[in-house]
Amino acid sequence: MAKKKIIVIGGGFGGVFAAKSLEKLGRGTLDVELVNNNNYFVFQPLLPEVAASSINSADAVVPLRQLLSNVQVRQARVMGIDFAKKTVIVMQGARMTPVELKYDELVMALGTGVDLNRIPGMADHALTMKDLTDAHRLRTHVIGCLETADVTTEAEVKQQLLTFIVAGAGFSGVETAAEVRQLVSRALRYYPNIKPDEIRMYLIEYADRILPTFPADLAEYATTQLRSQGIDVLTGVGTKSATSTGVELTDGRKINSSTIVATIGNGPHPLVSMLGLDMQWGRIKTDRFMRVPGQEHVWALGDAALIPLVDNPQEDPVDYATQTAQFAVREGHQLAGNIFAKLNGKELKPFAYESKGSLASLGMSKAVADVYGIKLSGTFAWLLWRGFYLSFLPGIAAKFRVGMNWILNSIMPPNIVQLRMPPPATRYIHFWKGDKVFEPGMLIDGFYTVINGSFKLTIDNPDTGEHFEKVFGPGEHFGERVLVKSELRTGLVEALEDGLLLFIAQKDFTRFATAFPFLDNYFKEYIEKTFGGADKAFAPGSTNQRKQLAKTR
Ligand SMILES: Cc1cc2nc3c(=O)[nH]c(=O)nc-3n(C[C@H](O)[C@H](O)[C@H](O)COP(=O)(O)OP(=O)(O)OC[C@H]3O[C@@H](n4cnc5c(N)ncnc54)[C@H](O)[C@@H]3O)c2cc1C
């Protein structure tokens, strides 16, 4: 008899544990394949430690092929599902071509997405904390801020660089804030021009307390602990908007900062929300057996699924499985059992599980734990936290590597190597009224198009007394002289109101503009018409003037 083909899409906690159990239960009768966009499994609870340099990024992940030795692993991006034809469409290979994979049973474990679009500017300026790249980017960014602050003489800019904001104080927000604070504190001794009291760190939570899934007294302990480490915990207030220079809070306060980490905004996975399945709270509704209603051969689990824990669930999250690794693992085992039972004509079991508790690390060897109803805090809870996650990590090699990282990190100085990750060459940048886009003496960076708001360019030439100014509105642009090369800016551009710019880095803009003769001509004519010629456009860009500006910086 031909083996039944089971495809699992998503190689996180839910997908991996479902695939592992399916392979075990159905050895010889099932052909199990797992599709994931990376060739590794990410242990998300350790991401804040990766961001803080406590763990090397490669050690917080496990290669899927090693973890699932008897499961076929395919590194590919799932682009669609044709439920009628029972096929998954993936993009794969060097040319990223679409391939159709046939299934008998499909397990959906794609996790969730991040949707920050409800807060203006957040999607463009906040760092997220969802996968390995995010953690690595945050670490690089924080170290970059320290490097820049150490050589910055402008007090306002320095303060902005040394202010760190974490939005959202659930598990990941609290742990990220604590770990980043610890990294900064430990790294400071290598930055002689930064004083400890120049560091500002904010943890912002809209609810009236942090760690909403923990008992109130443990959340209170965590708040006190974080404050004692110099983290300003702000509750009952949210983030209203974000720009390249900071955040505005819902109470009207503005905090200037170069670092905004958003652990809020969990939204539906973009692919999942396009499939036309019955969804609630951004999750796929399933029955108690984790089957997707209306799709006979489709199952869902993990963060992507809304799995009822009782027969008649109400509109209350407590009636459903929570979005945690603990639940996803348990769901994986049980879902595998149910698929196996279905294929063998046996009875399916409804999903039922009670959380064994929660643990959250607070940095500085402190944690809070609520395990089997026993509340713990302090160093003992932290040891428990470490012990639990070490035991939870799949594979001996991963346990050993993480254990070694922890030991080395406790006796060695922090790793402050900055492996740069340049920002996207084309990106949106939000500005508040009065913000400077650039000013004389800054290195030329790129070309700007106004999406909304208005921006004023002022050029003053002290040599000739010439003064030039122009206001740019939506659809207009500035910075086009990057096409003709120059090292330093000679004009000042300020936002006259809150606004949004599309930025294209110099190299990319120059390549693009010069590739199209009509664009090249357009910009040359534009410079002629607007500034009265290239010379005027560069006022006061004489070599002497630029040298002078460079000296004063
Ligand atoms: C920073 C952080 C800290 C956390 N701490 C804890 C904790 O302490 N305790 C706890 O219990 N839980 C914690 N969680 C939550 C926990 O990690 C999640 O509940 C769990 O990972 C959910 O598992 P999942 O399999 O549903 O989704 P995920 O683990 O997110 O896995 C989804 C997988 O699908 C893949 N994928 C997505 N789209 C595609 C596509 N189009 N094609 C192919 N593959 C795709 C992804 O790469 C990923 O591998 C934390 C989460 C974060 C982000």
Side-chain angles (χ1 to χ4, degrees), residues 205-439:
E205 171 56 51
Y206 194 66
D208 56 8
R209 71 172 173 95
I210 67 167
L211 294 172
T213 54
F214 278 78
D217 49 348
L218 285 185
E220 189 58 38
Y221 171 87
T223 305
T224 311
Q225 191 56 44
L226 294 172
R227 286 190 175 139
S228 74
Q229 293 170 31
I231 300 173
D232 211 338
V233 181
L234 307 179
T235 52
V237 66
T239 41
K240 191 174 162 204
S241 67
T243 68
S244 57
T245 55
V247 295
E248 183 183 7
L249 303 184
T250 46
D251 63 7
R253 260 181 294 177
K254 279 185 177 169
I255 305 174
N256 283 345
S257 168
S258 299
T259 310
I260 308 160
V261 187
T263 62
I264 50 176
N266 249 8
H269 187 287
L271 172 70
V272 168
S273 54
M274 281 167 37
L275 295 172
L277 298 172
D278 200 3
M279 311 265 293
Q280 189 177 340
W281 303 326
R283 296 154 76 182
I284 305 164
K285 278 181 157 186
T286 74
D287 62 15
R288 289 206 61 195
F289 308 103
M290 291 173 271
R291 295 177 300 197
V292 177
Q295 304 295 342
E296 211 188 319
H297 302 281
V298 183
W299 310 69
L301 81 164
D303 285 4
L306 188 66
I307 304 166
L309 296 170
V310 291
D311 283 337
N312 289 307
Q314 305 301 304
E315 294 277 299
D316 186 344
V318 297
D319 284 352
Y320 297 90
T322 59
Q323 289 171 298
T324 59
Q326 200 185 135
F327 268 81
V329 168
R330 194 42 85 103
E331 289 157 17
H333 289 306
Q334 176 141 1
L335 186 145
N338 279 348
I339 290 184
F340 193 68
K342 175 187 169 183
L343 296 176
N344 289 287
K346 298 215 173 100
E347 207 177 318
L348 276 56
K349 276 196 197 144
F351 180 71
Y353 178 66
E354 239 179 77
S355 168
K356 302 287 173 270
S358 312
L359 297 134
S361 163
L362 306 172
M364 310 303 276
S365 312
K366 298 278 188 298
V368 280
D370 175 24
V371 186
Y372 293 107
I374 301 168
K375 296 183 216 167
L376 299 162
S377 57
T379 307
F380 181 68
W382 178 76
L383 288 171
L384 194 71
W385 180 90
R386 286 211 152 172
F388 175 73
Y389 281 114
L390 211 53
S391 67
F392 199 28
L393 257 171
I396 299 281
K399 289 186 210 301
F400 180 74
R401 284 200 205 100
V402 168
M404 285 307 289
N405 270 268
W406 280 340
I407 292 169
L408 289 176
N409 189 52
S410 62
I411 51 176
M412 308 284 255
N415 182 347
I416 52 166
V417 170
Q418 187 198 10
L419 298 170
R420 283 168 189 265
M421 296 175 81
T426 300
R427 57 187 187 271
Y428 288 116
I429 310 180
H430 297 249
F431 291 89
W432 285 320
K433 181 181 174 181
D435 278 348
K436 288 175 187 163
V437 179
F438 55 71
E439 56 188 315

Side-chain angles (χ1 to χ4, degrees), residues 88 120 173 176 190 223 396-397 480 545:
V88 174
T176 302
Y190 302 104
T223 305
I396 299 281
E480 52 286 320
Q545 175 74 15

Side-chain angles (χ1 to χ4, degrees), residues 10-15 35-38 44-45 47-48 76-78 109-112 129-130 171-172 175 269 271 301-304 323-326 328 359 389:
F13 280 97
V35 182
N36 197 55
N37 50 2
N38 295 310
Q44 287 183 352
L47 290 179
R77 177 171 288 278
V78 179
L110 292 173
T112 51
M129 202 45 173
K130 200 86 180 119
F171 272 124
S172 49
E175 292 186 350
H269 187 287
L271 172 70
L301 81 164
D303 285 4
Q323 289 171 298
T324 59
Q326 200 185 135
L359 297 134
Y389 281 114

Side-chain angles (χ1 to χ4, degrees), residues 431-461:
F431 291 89
W432 285 320
K433 181 181 174 181
D435 278 348
K436 288 175 187 163
V437 179
F438 55 71
E439 56 188 315
M442 282 172 71
L443 192 67
I444 270 187
D445 52 355
F447 168 78
Y448 296 83
T449 304
V450 181
I451 304 298
N452 59 51
S454 57
F455 294 82
K456 184 174 160 193
L457 164 69
T458 314
I459 306 175
D460 278 305
N461 187 337

Side-chain angles (χ1 to χ4, degrees), residues 494-516:
E494 283 175 296
L496 295 180
E497 55 187 301
D498 293 359
L500 174 65
L501 294 174
L502 174 69
F503 169 82
I504 308 177
Q506 177 173 20
K507 206 166 156 189
D508 295 61
F509 172 67
T510 310
R511 278 183 186 159
F512 188 72
T514 50
F516 296 96

